[in-house]
Amino acid sequence: MRIVHTSDWHLGRTLHGADLTSAHEAYLDHLVDLVAEENVDAVLVAGDVFDRAIPPASALELLRDALGRLTSRTRVILSPGNHDSAVRLGLTASQLTDRLSIRARVERVGEPVVVPDRDGGPGAYVYALPYLDPDLAREPLADGPVSEDAPVLPARSHSGVLGAAMSRVGADLAARRAADGARVPAVVGAHAFVAGGAVSDSERDIRVGGVDVVPAGVLVDPDVAARADYVALGHLHGAQEVRAVSDDGTPVPMRYSGSPVAFSFSEENHVKSSVIVDLSGGSVSARLVPAPVVRGLRTIEGTVGDLLSGRLDDAADSWLRAIVTDAARPERMHARLKERFPHLLALAHEPAGALPRTQSRAVTDASDPVDVVADFVGDAGGTPVTPEELAVVRDAVESAQRRTAAR
Ligand SMILES: [Mn+2]
C-alpha cells in the first residue's frame, strides 16, 4: 500500500497580498504526476484544503480541477482543518464516488475509508479525522446519551476530543483486524497541534483557553491490535517528524507533511514536500518528495545603499522581505527598492543599534501624551528623540489638544 500524505494546501491564500495561484497550480500538477509515477493507492489530505471557510471561486475551481485529475488515477481522502468549513467541504460527500472520500462529520470518526488492495480485499484502513473543535465535537463524541445527571462528555480540550475520537478508532480497528485474521495496515489522519511540533507564522490559532497542545501519546493506542501504523498530521506548516513511542516502547511513525507552499517569511528555509508512505504488514517507511518552488522566499538586510549596490541582485526573482538598517529612515525607501526588486512584499526599517524594543512602556490614562508620542517617534526612528524633535512633538500634541477642547 502506498499513500501520499499531504496537508495545509490553503487554496485561496495570498502572501502579503501576492497571488499564490501559480504556486498552488504547480504543486497540484506535481501531485498528479507523482501519483501516476509512483503508483500511489491513495492521497490523504490532512486538513486545511482551503484557506477560509468560504473560499473564493478560483480556489474552488483549483480543487475541482485537481480532484478530477487525481481521482482518474487514484483515491483521494480529504478532511477539513481549522480553516475549512466542515459543512461546506463535506457538502457533496454523500454524492461522491468511491474514489473520493470527504470525511467531515465528527459522528463518523470511527469509520475508516477502506483502500482496497489489488485483489479487492482491504489494503489499508484510513481514519481521516476532521479538525475537532473542543466545543463542537464534545457532544457527538460523548459515550452514550448525554444527560445532566450522567455527564459523559470528553474534556473540553483538544486532547479530550481527540482522545475520544481515538478510542472509537481503536475499537473499530481492533474489531476489523480480528475479523480479517490478518494485520491490515492503518493510517490515522488528524489536524491538531501535537506536542513537540515547531510552529511558523502562518498557522492561525488552534487554541481554546490555552489548552491547545495534544500529547503525541493520545494518538497511540496502548493495544497494538488497535494501533495505527502511521499518523498523518496536518496543521503545522513545516514538515517534521513527531516523536511518539508506545507504552511497550515501539516508536510510532508520526509526522507533519507541512504545507506544500510557503505562506510566511518564517518559512523561507523550509523544504516543502509531500510524504510517500509505504505500508505492508506491520512495517512502514516514509520518504519526502520535494514540492516545486515557483518563486522562493528570501529576506535581505542592510542599508538601502548596500541593498542597491548590486550585491543582492540575485534576489530579484524571489518574493522578498527587506530589512533596512540605515540609522535614519531613508527617503523613498520603498519605491527605490521596489524598482530593483519587483517582488518585494514586506519592508521594515530597523536601524542598526536601535533601542531595544523591549523598552516599550504600557500606556495608561495617566500617561502624558507627549511622552507616548515621543516614545513612538524614538522607536520608529530607532534613536531617542532629540530636544528639537521633542519640541515639535510637544507643539503638535498641544495644538491637537487645543482643537479638541475648542469643539
Ligand atoms: Mn494550516
Side-chain angles (χ1 to χ4, degrees):
M1 275 291 118
R2 177 167 286 175
I3 290 175
V4 169
H5 161 206
T6 172
S7 73
D8 296 271
W9 291 358
H10 288 271
L11 300 179
R13 191 166 188 131
T14 56
L15 175 67
H16 293 268
D19 186 13
L20 291 175
T21 305
S22 59
H24 279 128
E25 282 171 346
Y27 174 69
L28 295 170
D29 288 348
H30 154 85
L31 185 60
V32 170
D33 291 344
L34 185 69
V35 156
E37 284 161 17
E38 297 274 0
N39 278 314
V40 169
D41 295 295
V43 172
L44 170 60
V45 190
D48 285 353
V49 176
F50 292 120
D51 190 52
R52 61 191 72 169
I54 303 178
S58 58
L60 287 163
E61 176 53 25
L62 264 182
L63 184 67
R64 193 196 59 76
D65 173 70
L67 290 180
R69 291 186 289 153
L70 287 168
T71 53
S72 73
R73 293 164 175 85
T74 190
R75 279 157 205 277
V76 179
I77 304 159
L78 304 178
S79 54
N82 57 311
H83 283 244
D84 299 300
S85 156
V87 173
R88 289 195 180 84
L89 193 62
L91 200 59
T92 52
S94 56
Q95 292 132 42
L96 300 173
T97 69
D98 63 347
R99 302 212 123 194
L100 175 59
S101 309
I102 299 183
R103 305 312 294 265
R105 293 191 50 213
V106 177
E107 293 81 355
R108 293 183 70 191
V109 292
E111 194 183 315
V113 174
V114 182
V115 182
D117 63 16
R118 304 273 135 95
D119 310 319
Y125 298 126
V126 179
Y127 296 87
L129 311 183
Y131 165 64
L132 299 171
D133 179 277
D135 286 314
L136 304 178
R138 283 171 86 203
E139 284 205 17
L141 289 173
D143 264 332
V146 182
S147 76
E148 273 183 51
D149 306 333
V152 280
L153 293 173
R156 187 176 162 274
S157 67
H158 286 95
S159 292
V161 290
L162 205 49
M166 287 305 294
S167 41
R168 294 190 179 198
V169 168
D172 181 84
L173 182 55
R176 282 176 194 271
R177 281 175 170 162
D180 293 336
R183 188 183 170 86
V184 173
V187 172
V188 165
H191 196 88
F193 184 4
V194 177
V199 299
S200 311
D201 289 341
S202 62
E203 303 115 5
R204 284 194 295 267
D205 42 53
I206 290 189
R207 189 162 302 165
V208 170
V211 187
D212 50 356
V213 180
V214 176
V218 168
L219 294 153
V220 178
D221 201 288
D223 173 11
V224 69
R227 190 179 301 159
D229 301 280
Y230 178 80
V231 179
L233 295 172
H235 181 53
L236 297 183
H237 292 174
Q240 57 199 289
E241 231 174 322
V242 175
R243 223 181 98 73
V245 177
S246 67
D247 291 346
D248 53 37
T250 326
V252 178
M254 189 179 297
R255 58 162 61 241
Y256 285 96
S257 62
S259 62
V261 172
F263 300 124
S264 68
F265 281 99
S266 70
E267 296 161 62
E268 66 183 66
N269 296 320
H270 286 184
V271 177
K272 297 302 189 179
S273 52
S274 313
V275 192
I276 294 192
V277 186
D278 283 309
L279 303 135
S280 76
S283 83
V284 189
S285 66
R287 66 194 152 97
L288 304 186
V289 181
V293 178
V294 169
R295 192 180 297 292
L297 270 67
R298 204 167 143 183
T299 299
I300 56 175
E301 183 170 351
T303 62
V304 165
D306 179 31
L307 299 181
L308 295 177
S309 68
R311 178 175 76 84
L312 291 161
D313 282 3
D314 65 329
D317 284 335
S318 304
W319 296 125
L320 277 191
R321 168 171 66 172
I323 297 170
V324 171
T325 58
D326 293 78
R329 193 177 177 89
E331 277 182 49
R332 296 182 56 249
M333 171 169 75
H334 182 261
R336 287 155 72 197
L337 289 170
K338 185 85 179 173
E339 203 173 308
R340 180 72 63 91
F341 302 107
H343 305 295
L344 178 68
L345 296 182
L347 177 60
H349 178 223
E350 294 179 9
L355 296 173
R357 302 253 161 182
T358 49
Q359 286 190 350
S360 61
R361 280 179 279 177
V363 174
T364 67
D365 286 350
S367 303
D368 180 348
V370 174
D371 289 344
V372 174
V373 177
D375 274 357
F376 172 76
V377 171
D379 190 53
T383 51
V385 293
T386 62
E388 293 78 14
E389 287 169 334
L390 188 60
V392 173
V393 167
R394 188 176 300 284
D395 264 2
V397 170
E398 286 172 358
S399 140
Q401 284 172 330
R402 277 193 302 274
R403 281 186 210 190
T404 313
R407 274 211 193 115

